[in-house]
Amino acid sequence: MNETAFDEPLFASLKPGLTSFCYRMLGSMDDADDAVQETSIRVWQSWSTFRQDSSFKTWVYRIASNLCLDKLRQSKRRALPVDLFDPAVTIVEPRDTLPDSAWIWPSPDFGGNPEDRLVRRETLQLCFIALLQTLPPRQRAVLILKDVFEWSSKQIAETLAMSPAAVNSALQRARETMDRAQLRSDELSSMDVQPEQQLLSRYVEAFEQFDIAALVALFHEEGCMSMPPFEMWIRGKEDLSAFYSLTRWHCEGSRFVPITVNGGYPALAQYMPGKEGSGLVPWGIHVIETKENQILHVQNFIHTPLFSRFGLPERIDQ
């Protein structure tokens, strides 16, 4: 084999699943895309060394896994605000933030036709991504390849340069850690499969009219809202009402565009009035988790680069 024989279509066929693996490992689509791009470069550069002692897929995932493990050695754990801080005691405009690298961000579809049975939707829920980040990197890789991608212990061992016994041991420890983890985001995760369309429509109507009473009435008694990159998050109807009243000047006049995130989960892209006075500009991606047809948690991801990643326009008409 030589570099000129590099099979680009074969690599392209692996890319959707590879991207979903890297996203689960790293908690960020930006990082996942970087890892996949670097993987493609290394595969091309090393093509002549591929001796077919393992499958092409295993070889590619070995390269991607090593890249992810290297990235994770140099970074802190990504998380969601509700897992790092207690709810706000005093309702003020949020000010304190953490860098983008501190947070888990939602993902769009990975494109192409990933092997659906290997990319199970529930393992793309934001609370599951947050749980994964609590695992040591190698255990994380083992658990994803085994419990999400349903690989054999032998194939995982070949990919991660471990013995099958070490794979099984790491898997057991990873599962135990996941079972013990008591993240608040897991408690607040979607108790319903997905929000009822009627509830989403009522949320859109109340927010776009900025009818605070109607908006807060949609929340569960213990409902909450978080806004990464801000550390602050709010819990309870009284505090939500106070927060919406305080931020009316900022959000009034907003409009929503429906999208899907993390494997097809319904979400809303919020556009707010621009400073120039003409048109609406990107603000946040609202991911709404519900319980018994009430809102349990609104995660408003305030990160405008997400809009271009989701293929959304830079501006919409008022």
Side-chain angles (χ1 to χ4, degrees):
M1 273 186 200
N2 53 56
E3 290 180 355
T4 59
F6 173 54
D7 192 336
E8 289 190 42
L10 184 57
F11 182 84
S13 71
L14 296 179
K15 191 172 179 181
L18 201 63
T19 304
S20 72
F21 169 75
C22 292
Y23 173 68
R24 288 178 175 89
M25 285 290 293
L26 302 171
S28 157
M29 276 301 295
D30 285 343
D31 284 0
D33 280 348
D34 288 347
V36 173
Q37 178 64 23
E38 181 63 25
T39 298
S40 70
I41 292 170
R42 293 195 184 184
V43 167
W44 180 81
Q45 290 174 337
S46 306
W47 183 249
S48 61
T49 69
F50 176 49
R51 303 301 181 192
Q52 296 184 315
D53 54 342
S54 62
S55 72
F56 177 72
K57 182 176 181 178
T58 299
W59 182 60
V60 169
Y61 271 81
R62 182 184 306 153
I63 294 171
S65 299
N66 287 333
L67 280 165
C68 288
L69 293 173
D70 286 344
K71 281 179 176 286
L72 291 168
R73 289 188 192 100
Q74 302 165 21
S75 61
K76 294 183 178 179
R77 172 171 74 96
R78 289 180 179 268
L80 297 166
V82 296
D83 292 327
L84 296 180
F85 306 100
D86 289 329
V89 175
T90 304
I91 304 304
V92 296
E93 288 185 31
R95 294 184 180 86
D96 295 332
T97 64
L98 291 178
D100 293 344
S101 60
W103 304 113
I104 291 166
W105 300 105
S107 76
D109 292 335
F110 298 112
N113 294 301
E115 297 163 275
D116 290 334
R117 71 181 184 86
L118 302 182
V119 189
R120 300 206 308 268
R121 178 169 159 178
E122 67 270 21
T123 68
L124 278 172
Q125 288 183 350
L126 289 161
C127 63
F128 185 79
I129 302 298
L131 279 171
L132 285 173
Q133 308 310 302
T134 66
L135 296 174
R138 193 167 291 273
Q139 288 184 28
R140 192 182 312 174
V142 168
L143 184 108
I144 293 168
L145 292 174
K146 185 67 172 180
D147 287 358
V148 178
F149 284 71
E150 299 177 354
W151 284 21
S152 69
S153 295
K154 181 178 182 292
Q155 189 176 8
I156 296 169
E158 291 175 358
T159 301
L160 299 178
M162 302 168 66
S163 69
V167 165
N168 292 332
S169 176
L171 180 64
Q172 182 179 354
R173 294 197 304 274
R175 286 172 175 167
E176 289 172 352
T177 299
M178 293 279 277
D179 288 341
R180 287 197 310 268
Q182 296 182 331
L183 296 184
R184 194 183 270 122
S185 60
D186 194 31
E187 297 173 13
L188 295 173
S189 67
S190 175
M191 306 299 287
D192 301 326
V193 175
Q194 64 180 34
E196 293 287 341
Q197 185 56 50
Q198 186 179 26
L199 179 61
L200 284 179
S201 298
R202 290 163 64 199
Y203 180 83
V204 169
E205 181 180 5
F207 200 105
E208 291 186 347
Q209 295 180 2
F210 220 74
D211 183 337
I212 294 174
L215 189 57
V216 172
L218 300 176
F219 281 81
H220 188 275
E221 283 298 326
E222 292 298 310
C224 59
M225 176 176 60
S226 57
M227 304 155 286
F230 293 103
E231 300 175 5
M232 175 184 178
W233 63 280
I234 297 117
R235 181 167 63 189
K237 288 189 174 186
E238 185 176 339
D239 284 353
L240 285 165
S241 181
F243 182 80
Y244 284 130
S245 297
L246 188 66
T247 57
R248 174 186 287 276
W249 66 273
H250 184 273
C251 291
E252 201 164 27
S254 292
R255 293 291 180 269
F256 284 116
V257 173
I259 60 171
T260 59
V261 303
N262 290 60
Y265 194 88
L268 300 162
Q270 179 192 352
Y271 286 79
M272 57 170 282
K275 292 181 181 179
E276 296 82 6
S278 61
L280 302 172
V281 296
W283 177 244
I285 304 291
H286 294 223
V287 181
I288 299 172
E289 297 173 318
T290 62
K291 179 181 180 180
E292 297 169 354
N293 208 27
Q294 291 180 300
I295 296 173
L296 195 60
H297 186 196
V298 174
Q299 299 188 72
N300 182 6
F301 293 92
I302 303 171
H303 187 51
T304 53
L306 286 172
F307 281 69
S308 59
R309 179 168 288 285
F310 279 87
L312 292 162
E314 295 180 1
R315 182 180 295 269
I316 63 173
D317 295 331
Q318 284 179 299

